[in-house]
Amino acid sequence: MSTARTWAVALTGVDGHLVEVEADLSNQTPEFKIIGLPDKALGEAVQRVHNACKNAGLDLPRRRLTVNLSPASLPKHGSGFDLSIAVSTLAAGGLIARRSISGTVHIGELGLDGRLRPVPGILPAVFAAARAGFDRVIVPKANEDEARLVPGVDVRAAASLAEVAAWHGADVAVPEVVAVDAAVVEPLHEEPLELADVVGQPEAVDALMIAAAGGHHLLLSGPPGAGKTMLARRLPGILPRLTEEEALEVAAIRSLSGDAVTRLDAAPPLESPHHSASVAALVGGGSRAARPGAIARAHRGVLFLDEAAEFSRVALDALRQPLESGAIEVHRAGFTARFPARFQLVLAMNPCPCGNHGVRGAECVCPPMAIRRYATRLSGPLRDRVDIDLPVARVAMNRAAEGRRSPLTSAEARERVSAARARASERWRATPWRRNAEVPGTWLRQGALRLGPAVRAPLDRALERGALTLRGYDRVLRLAWTMADITGCDMPGLDEVGRALHLRRGMTQ
């Protein structure tokens, strides 16, 4: 028998699919061919595998060699299949044990000298192998720490093809090879910013805590220097720490982005793309393999769009679908990738192009048409998905001189936010939702959780006048429930509904 089989992983977004790599030798004109819907990078594996085997002292037989990647209908991308192709061809030629490779998943790119190079997406690939029932995975040495984050899997890290072949019974000398460093950069972890550093913005701090407690989206509008960016960047610091499962989800997306993942980070991520970012930079994509964009990288954290009105209209409208579904889909001609995208959106914008419209003592040079046009850069459907519309004014000189900082520290605010989320989680324990912002409006407008007529009266009037859409009505209800959770009330009252309506429609209205 001249056929040998092993396994690799094809990634589509964060989803991994096990691929059976089978090699077959036949007594025909020497040729090396890969079939099974490989892309260009994978098709070039023929030369990499041939040279790597030769330089490792493992010459392939001069016969017709066919490698099939099954299922053939699944697109395969990238160079991470090199190692599995090499060991299957060596086993087909009788140089290593067929039985040994049949129950092992091999992931890695080969250099021409036989060294194993790291590849992105190791964490979701090893996850996929574990879910499929495999308990042994061989990865490049540079990806070892990342692969070991998956529990219950025997991870073996190798620096060269010869080392892998020796594990599988080949009679080959294993040279002392310096492992290839990961061709990725460890992301910079900044210390969380302190909420107590905020001066003279008690209403904004209160709204920030409400947004954190319920998972609500937030729009900060005001002139330059009012502290919009300062407030937004402190939101991740008051969010509850990620659970191990959530941290693994975030780490998997970072791995697909090409970041080095050596440990689990419990801090919620913060993504802040520049306003010149394209739609592809926000949504993600790629011509061959899908890479997550800023929307997916903000999963379980905060997506902050500073100078939101300067983003292209198409890029902003791309946010609407993930805000509702909690996921983003990337469609290309050859594949469709789905990434989780459950994040909190924070938008910051000026009142006009020059930033001085409505500011006391400042002169606005923008014509009325330009002011109106600037305000409509955020479409109505996108604004309707924002729970809190918070105007932020510049801090008065007397407050700044007094140096009155926020009475709440980030740690204290995080404790209150965690307590409020615990109340909400207990209330929704029999449902798929855990945060108030995720609960469908029908659950809040009907049944046992429906508020009394007197409490609903301001909302009903706003809906009848057309000041609120039904989606906005539901979002005010969610805000009211979050305020009740913060104060420890069993149900929202008229005060919570009034404050929620106030935040929803903007404090200056």
Side-chain angles (χ1 to χ4, degrees):
M1 180 179 179
S2 57
T3 302
R5 296 178 177 84
T6 189
W7 298 87
V9 179
L11 291 172
T12 306
V14 293
D15 299 321
H17 307 276
L18 269 293
V19 174
E20 187 179 28
V21 182
E22 49 185 353
D24 180 73
L25 285 175
S26 58
N27 293 319
Q28 299 180 28
T29 304
E31 185 183 8
F32 193 163
K33 190 173 184 180
I34 299 175
I35 60 176
L37 210 58
D39 70 345
K40 182 176 177 60
L42 185 47
E44 293 172 347
V46 170
Q47 197 62 49
R48 290 194 299 271
V49 170
H50 185 275
N51 286 55
C53 289
K54 181 179 180 181
N55 291 323
L58 298 160
D59 288 334
L60 295 173
R62 295 185 58 80
R63 295 159 64 184
R64 185 182 182 88
L65 180 59
T66 304
V67 174
N68 181 44
L69 308 176
S70 179
S73 60
L74 178 71
K76 292 91 179 175
H77 310 281
S79 56
F81 290 82
D82 288 3
L83 182 58
S84 59
I85 293 172
V87 297
S88 63
T89 56
L90 292 173
L95 296 177
I96 62 178
R98 293 186 178 93
R99 183 183 298 272
S100 178
I101 69 168
S102 62
T104 305
V105 177
H106 297 83
I107 307 169
E109 176 186 337
L110 288 173
L112 297 182
D113 57 356
R115 287 185 297 171
L116 266 182
R117 299 182 180 277
V119 292
I122 282 290
L123 187 58
V126 177
F127 259 125
R131 285 195 300 267
F134 289 88
D135 56 8
R136 185 169 65 179
V137 179
I138 295 180
V139 301
K141 190 71 174 177
N143 293 129
E144 180 179 8
D145 291 339
E146 181 178 338
R148 292 192 184 281
L149 294 175
V150 182
V153 179
D154 177 18
V155 174
R156 298 191 179 183
S160 67
L161 175 61
E163 189 176 351
V164 176
W167 284 343
H168 291 307
D171 184 13
V172 61
V174 179
E176 291 188 7
V177 178
V178 178
V180 180
D181 291 334
V184 288
V185 179
E186 180 73 21
L188 207 57
H189 292 281
E190 299 180 356
E191 289 296 322
L193 300 176
E194 179 53 58
L195 187 65
D197 292 339
V198 178
V199 176
Q201 297 280 12
E203 299 89 354
V205 170
D206 186 52
L208 205 66
M209 194 166 64
I210 293 170
H216 303 289
H217 307 306
L218 178 67
L219 169 62
L220 302 170
S221 57
K228 302 185 298 293
T229 302
M230 175 188 65
L231 288 164
R233 291 191 173 277
R234 279 157 176 77
L235 180 57
I238 66 175
L239 292 175
R241 303 296 87 178
L242 301 179
T243 64
E244 184 177 356
E245 181 181 353
E246 292 169 343
L248 283 169
E249 292 177 4
V250 173
I253 295 173
R254 281 176 48 201
S255 175
L256 287 169
S257 300
D259 293 338
V261 180
T262 57
R263 61 183 179 86
L264 294 183
D265 192 350
L270 171 66
E271 285 293 321
S272 182
H274 191 261
H275 59 75
S276 62
S278 64
V279 178
L282 285 177
V283 173
S287 58
R288 296 188 180 94
R291 288 294 183 90
I295 291 175
R297 292 196 302 271
H299 179 58
R300 301 294 182 186
V302 176
L303 177 64
F304 174 43
L305 303 186
D306 201 2
E307 304 295 343
E310 301 296 337
F311 281 79
S312 73
R313 185 72 172 261
V314 178
L316 290 174
D317 284 343
L319 296 168
R320 288 157 55 180
Q321 183 258 339
L323 285 176
E324 290 294 326
S325 65
I328 183 74
E329 290 187 354
V330 178
H331 296 270
R332 293 294 182 268
F335 62 88
T336 298
R338 181 182 175 88
F339 297 101
R342 196 165 294 281
F343 59 90
Q344 281 188 249
L345 176 66
V346 180
L347 304 169
M349 63 180 292
N350 296 329
C352 67
C354 77
N356 290 327
H357 178 64
V359 179
R360 182 181 301 175
E363 181 183 0
C364 177
V365 297
C366 304
M369 183 60 71
I371 297 173
R372 287 195 296 270
R373 188 182 302 116
Y374 194 80
T376 57
R377 293 294 295 272
L378 301 185
S379 66
L382 179 58
R383 281 181 175 269
D384 206 30
R385 286 167 169 83
V386 174
D387 300 336
I388 300 175
D389 183 355
L390 179 67
V392 181
R394 289 174 179 164
V395 179
M397 183 58 196
N398 58 344
R399 286 191 175 187
E402 291 173 1
R404 291 182 181 176
R405 305 170 71 192
S406 169
L408 272 180
T409 65
S410 292
E412 293 169 345
R414 187 165 57 246
E415 288 181 7
R416 294 179 61 180
V417 167
S418 298
R421 287 202 177 190
R423 294 188 187 97
S425 181
E426 176 63 21
R427 181 169 58 252
W428 309 116
R429 65 183 182 279
T431 72
W433 313 291
R434 291 296 175 266
R435 300 183 304 174
N436 292 324
E438 302 167 359
V439 181
T442 52
W443 284 66
L444 302 176
R445 287 184 269 111
Q446 302 171 6
L449 295 176
R450 188 181 185 186
L451 303 182
V455 178
R456 297 196 321 268
L459 281 178
D460 294 339
R461 288 195 297 270
L463 186 63
E464 290 171 1
R465 295 196 310 269
L468 278 180
T469 63
L470 189 58
R471 180 188 285 123
Y473 186 102
D474 293 339
R475 292 189 179 277
V476 173
L477 287 176
R478 295 179 187 125
L479 272 176
W481 276 102
T482 298
M483 293 177 183
D485 290 333
I486 290 177
T487 57
C489 299
D490 292 335
M491 290 189 73
L494 193 58
D495 183 53
E496 284 77 19
V497 170
R499 289 178 60 207
L501 191 60
H502 198 46
L503 286 174
R504 169 70 183 174
R505 298 169 62 186
M507 289 183 177
T508 60
Q509 297 184 14

